[in-house]
Amino acid sequence: MSTAEIQPAAATFDVPELVVGFDLDMTLIDSRPGIQAVWDLIAAETGVPIDTDLVVSRLGPPLTWEMANWFPPEQVDAMVARYREHYPSHAITGSLPLPGVLESLAAVRALRGRTMVVSAKYTPSVVLHLEHLGLDVDEPVGDLHGAKKGIALREHQATIYVGDHTADIDGARAAGAVAVSVATGPFTADELRAYGADVVLNDLTEFPAWLDAYVLEQRLEALMRRLSSYPNMVVAFSGGADSAFLLAAAARAIGPANVVAATAVSPSLPVAELEPAARFADGIGVRHVTPHTHEMDREGYQANAGDRCYFCKAELVETLQPIADEFGITAIATGTNADDAIAGFRPGIRAAFERGAITPLKDARLTKAQIREASRSWGLETSDKPAAACLSSRIAYGIRITPNLLARVDRAEQAVRSLLTPYGVENVRVRDVGETASIEIDARLLDEVDHRPLVDAVVAEGFPAARVDPRGFRSGSMNERLKDPEKYR
């Protein structure tokens, strides 16, 4: 069986998936103009004097409840049916998104979460509103009011429910979700707070910041709980932002004396990475070891097919195991984060999993952005450190990896970075694509700097030719050149 055929067991996490439910009317959209137009039409057709201003001032309950205020019981069902006939033609285009809607949905996405709408409105009407306004929601649910909204919220394991009505608070309570209220509907902030909302916001423009802070706190607490469950730990410490944060978190959770930072030294490690890694480990008081790894001795690594990272990570964990044994440590942790787990094919994650390494950042669902934010709050110098994958990631798949090729890439990147330092460069990659080198720099610098000196510097380090990629730096851009990536997922 090839390594590409071996798949890790189903992922386990220390925090539930983020699922955020939203009410629709007066939470996501201002549907009053469209709804009032339909009620005006009903009044004109029936001759019944309906106070449509009053109707739209108290949106939230089921349509049958409101209809019963204006028609006798035996006519309610027929009038509801008539209302729904008119609704698609008269109510949809008149409704507008409330401020902060797009940003709120995007905030959930950025945290790798899912969204749903749970409304008392007729389900087909919910869908029409969302489609008309281009609101990307994973699951639209209608025909539920008050505590009954908890049925759908529980079914989809929603952890947060956002609404403008006291009935929405009932729905959140019934599902065991955090009740977030926005004062954009019929109730004031004080009334929502008095009714029992966990969080009260003026409107959805305040939601993204609240959500970011709340979710980060939850995930950090989960991370620290997990780390605290181990008496000691070896952290595979590359010196990058993820492993640096994990190292600092482990030191906080179980004490620096119980943590060992292991930085693997090999031709694939950029020379400039080792000294900062040692300084960082020393700064938080953890023991730093620098074992030599020999991934170059593995045929699968040298062959540089799509599963190259499998052999590299296998070598790393197998090298760290004797170190862990020496210190009486049973846990070896890597800095894999939640974004890594879903980003394309990651055979290295599989290799570490098979060898018993743990992934506390991923298991706490911490994204790269959250790791950087937490690192800033902790004052870690690595918070804004650009991503720095191993040098082998610069060699096009299919080109056999040698120490000389890695050293050439390292020298070339250092030369380009030196030239661009006055411009505040963040990301530099020199990709060996065979007969030429592809130079990737921050996209914002493409039109700002002269490309000729960059090309000359790379050629001076031994490349036959070079060109600056007009698309700029893209993490994992070598994967774009890989044939049949599905084979290695």
Side-chain angles (χ1 to χ4, degrees):
M1 180 180 292
S2 72
T3 56
E5 295 174 298
I6 303 173
Q7 298 296 328
T12 58
F13 298 95
D14 297 330
V15 289
E17 180 185 16
L18 174 64
V19 181
V20 180
F22 294 91
D23 177 48
L24 184 65
D25 293 333
M26 302 314 298
T27 297
L28 291 182
I29 67 173
D30 184 352
S31 53
R32 290 173 299 182
I35 289 176
Q36 188 162 23
V38 177
W39 279 96
D40 286 337
L41 190 58
I42 294 290
E45 286 182 348
T46 62
V48 174
I50 300 173
D51 186 345
T52 59
D53 288 331
L54 177 61
V55 169
V56 298
S57 73
R58 57 191 186 195
L59 298 180
L63 176 60
T64 54
W65 294 15
E66 185 62 52
M67 200 66 75
N69 292 322
W70 309 102
F71 294 92
E74 65 273 13
Q75 295 183 25
V76 167
D77 287 345
M79 297 314 302
V80 165
R82 188 64 177 148
Y83 177 97
R84 287 174 174 168
E85 289 177 13
H86 288 310
Y87 199 93
S89 300
H90 296 84
I92 303 301
T93 57
S95 299
L96 299 172
L98 286 167
V101 169
L102 294 178
E103 295 81 359
S104 294
L105 296 176
V108 179
R109 297 272 186 231
L111 294 168
R112 303 297 179 190
R114 293 188 291 115
T115 56
M116 62 185 305
V117 163
V118 186
S119 171
K121 189 183 294 296
Y122 186 48
T123 300
S125 297
V126 172
V127 173
L128 286 174
H129 276 296
L130 296 176
E131 290 179 346
H132 175 70
L133 295 175
L135 301 181
D136 184 15
V137 172
D138 295 305
E139 189 68 34
V141 179
D143 300 301
L144 293 174
H145 176 66
K148 290 184 178 180
K149 290 188 174 186
I151 298 170
L153 294 171
R154 283 196 307 273
E155 179 184 349
H156 295 278
Q157 299 180 315
T159 51
I160 297 169
Y161 184 57
V162 187
D164 64 281
H165 201 283
T166 54
D168 298 325
I169 300 173
D170 294 335
R173 285 278 179 268
V178 176
V180 177
S181 292
V182 286
T184 47
F187 294 93
T188 67
D190 287 342
E191 288 171 331
L192 293 165
R193 195 174 292 110
Y195 194 81
D198 296 308
V199 178
V200 178
L201 308 174
N202 290 317
D203 55 41
L204 279 182
T205 63
E206 299 176 359
F207 181 74
W210 173 83
L211 181 70
D212 286 347
Y214 172 79
V215 173
L216 179 57
E217 180 181 7
Q218 298 297 304
R219 292 177 178 178
L220 287 178
E221 288 179 357
L223 173 66
M224 300 308 280
R225 285 196 303 271
R226 165 62 72 92
L227 294 175
S228 297
S229 70
Y230 296 95
N232 43 38
M233 180 175 293
V234 171
V235 174
F237 176 48
S238 68
D242 297 331
S243 61
F245 178 71
L246 175 60
L247 186 65
R252 287 185 175 209
I254 59 177
N258 298 311
V259 181
V260 175
T263 303
V265 178
S266 77
S268 65
L269 176 73
V271 172
E273 292 295 316
L274 188 57
E275 191 277 329
R279 186 175 64 247
F280 183 92
D282 182 66
I284 59 175
V286 303
R287 183 192 296 267
H288 186 224
V289 297
T290 55
H292 286 259
T293 53
H294 303 283
E295 57 269 25
M296 294 294 296
D297 294 343
R298 298 192 179 221
E299 172 57 29
Y301 183 87
Q302 290 187 43
N304 194 24
D307 57 354
R308 180 198 66 237
C309 292
Y310 180 95
F311 302 99
C312 179
K313 195 67 75 174
E315 173 70 16
L316 172 63
V317 178
E318 289 174 14
T319 298
L320 298 188
Q321 190 60 62
I323 295 173
D325 293 342
E326 177 186 348
F327 289 105
I329 296 174
T330 58
I332 297 174
T334 72
T336 300
N337 65 46
D339 293 333
D340 294 333
I342 63 171
F345 53 92
R346 294 291 179 130
I349 294 177
R350 184 174 64 252
F353 171 83
E354 292 167 4
R355 286 155 181 79
I358 62 173
T359 53
L361 301 179
K362 177 188 73 68
D363 296 342
R365 299 186 186 272
L366 284 161
T367 65
K368 185 78 169 186
Q370 287 183 309
I371 290 166
R372 291 194 183 280
E373 177 61 29
S375 295
R376 279 190 288 273
S377 70
W378 288 5
L380 303 183
E381 63 190 53
T382 52
S383 62
D384 295 316
K385 184 175 181 179
C390 80
L391 292 172
S392 295
S393 68
R394 278 73 149 174
I395 311 297
Y397 293 113
I399 298 176
R400 194 169 183 83
I401 292 176
T402 69
N404 287 339
L405 288 185
L406 297 179
R408 181 172 68 171
V409 164
D410 195 13
R411 294 194 308 269
E413 283 194 0
Q414 290 187 55
V416 172
R417 185 173 291 279
S418 178
L419 289 171
L420 295 179
T421 296
Y423 297 90
V425 69
E426 295 178 3
N427 297 289
V428 172
R429 295 289 187 275
V430 175
R431 313 283 193 186
D432 185 338
V433 295
E435 295 301 316
T436 187
S438 177
I439 305 168
E440 294 180 13
I441 63 175
D442 298 320
R444 64 180 176 81
L445 298 180
L446 288 171
D447 296 328
E448 187 176 344
V449 302
D450 185 357
H451 294 187
R452 187 73 254 171
L454 307 183
V455 170
D456 291 343
V458 171
V459 170
E461 295 301 338
F463 282 94
R467 65 185 289 272
V468 175
D469 189 322
R471 293 169 292 178
F473 167 75
R474 300 177 316 288
S475 180
S477 64
M478 280 301 196
N479 296 341
E480 300 168 6
R481 303 170 182 269
L482 182 65
K483 295 180 180 180
D484 191 19
E486 291 296 328
K487 177 180 178 182
Y488 304 104
R489 289 188 187 277

